Amino acid sequence: MHCPFCRNEDSRVVDSRTADDGMTIRRRRQCPACNKRFSTTESASLAVHKRSGVSEPFSRSKVISGVRKACQGRPVTDDQLAVLAQRVEEAIRLKGVSEIDAHDVGLAILQPLKELDLVAYLRFASVYRGFDCLEDFESAIEELRTEGEK
């Protein structure tokens, strides 16, 4: 880690704390050459592999925008969408992989969305589970009814 003030190649960690709901680590460092202090932030990167073959960083805002379309006209708040996106990211990080397929991100959204709003879940699931006909919707609705009876 280079000192941003004198460009010395060495630094000493003075303090470490978690930040961003435990997803990053903030370190306070001190340069042994000039004695100035500076902060660094460390996080594990998570990439999403898209169908086009391109990889890009995981983005909670993209999860929110995708789910927002399914929630259009439903009583779902922005705060609820933010919590959903956080839960999706945590679930993906628990898998212990640094890169995940975009389709798997969509599948990871399904359970938290089902808990949030069933109509939005059906809208979203129709895309990610590839509903082709009315029978697909009927079986998904029947599945939801069976789960609701338990």
Side-chain angles (χ1 to χ4, degrees):
M1 179 79 238
H2 290 281
C3 172
F5 303 105
C6 70
R7 304 296 299 160
N8 183 28
E9 292 185 16
D10 193 22
S11 66
R12 180 173 71 88
V13 175
V14 178
D15 183 38
S16 294
R17 297 179 187 197
T18 59
D20 191 27
D21 300 325
M23 302 309 289
T24 60
I25 298 173
R26 182 179 176 271
R27 299 197 192 279
R28 192 75 181 134
R29 297 177 176 270
Q30 185 171 9
C31 174
C34 68
N35 286 327
K36 291 192 178 180
R37 291 185 175 199
F38 57 98
S39 295
T40 59
T41 305
E42 299 174 16
S43 64
S45 63
L46 179 61
V48 177
H49 184 76
K50 303 187 89 158
R51 278 182 279 180
S52 64
V54 176
S55 288
E56 62 181 44
F58 176 85
S59 169
R60 286 185 189 179
S61 62
K62 285 194 173 190
V63 170
I64 291 170
S65 68
V67 173
R68 182 173 279 131
K69 293 171 190 167
C71 294
Q72 195 168 11
R74 303 297 304 154
V76 176
T77 66
D78 288 341
D79 288 341
Q80 289 172 313
L81 291 178
V83 169
L84 181 138
Q86 180 180 345
R87 286 182 61 195
V88 169
E89 182 176 1
E90 289 170 356
I92 291 169
R93 287 190 185 276
L94 283 175
K95 292 183 179 195
V97 295
S98 61
E99 186 171 63
I100 188 165
D101 189 67
H103 184 73
D104 292 336
V105 174
L107 294 176
I109 291 170
L110 290 175
Q111 185 60 40
L113 186 56
K114 184 191 293 187
E115 295 167 11
L116 183 62
D117 187 274
L118 291 177
V119 173
Y121 164 79
L122 280 173
R123 290 174 179 171
F124 197 84
S126 69
V127 174
Y128 279 92
R129 289 178 45 196
F131 290 5
D132 292 325
C133 57
L134 288 176
E135 288 78 21
D136 292 338
F137 280 97
E138 288 172 348
S139 65
I141 291 169
E142 187 58 38
E143 182 182 306
L144 290 173
R145 284 188 176 135
T146 303
E147 287 178 12
E149 292 172 0
K150 291 180 182 177

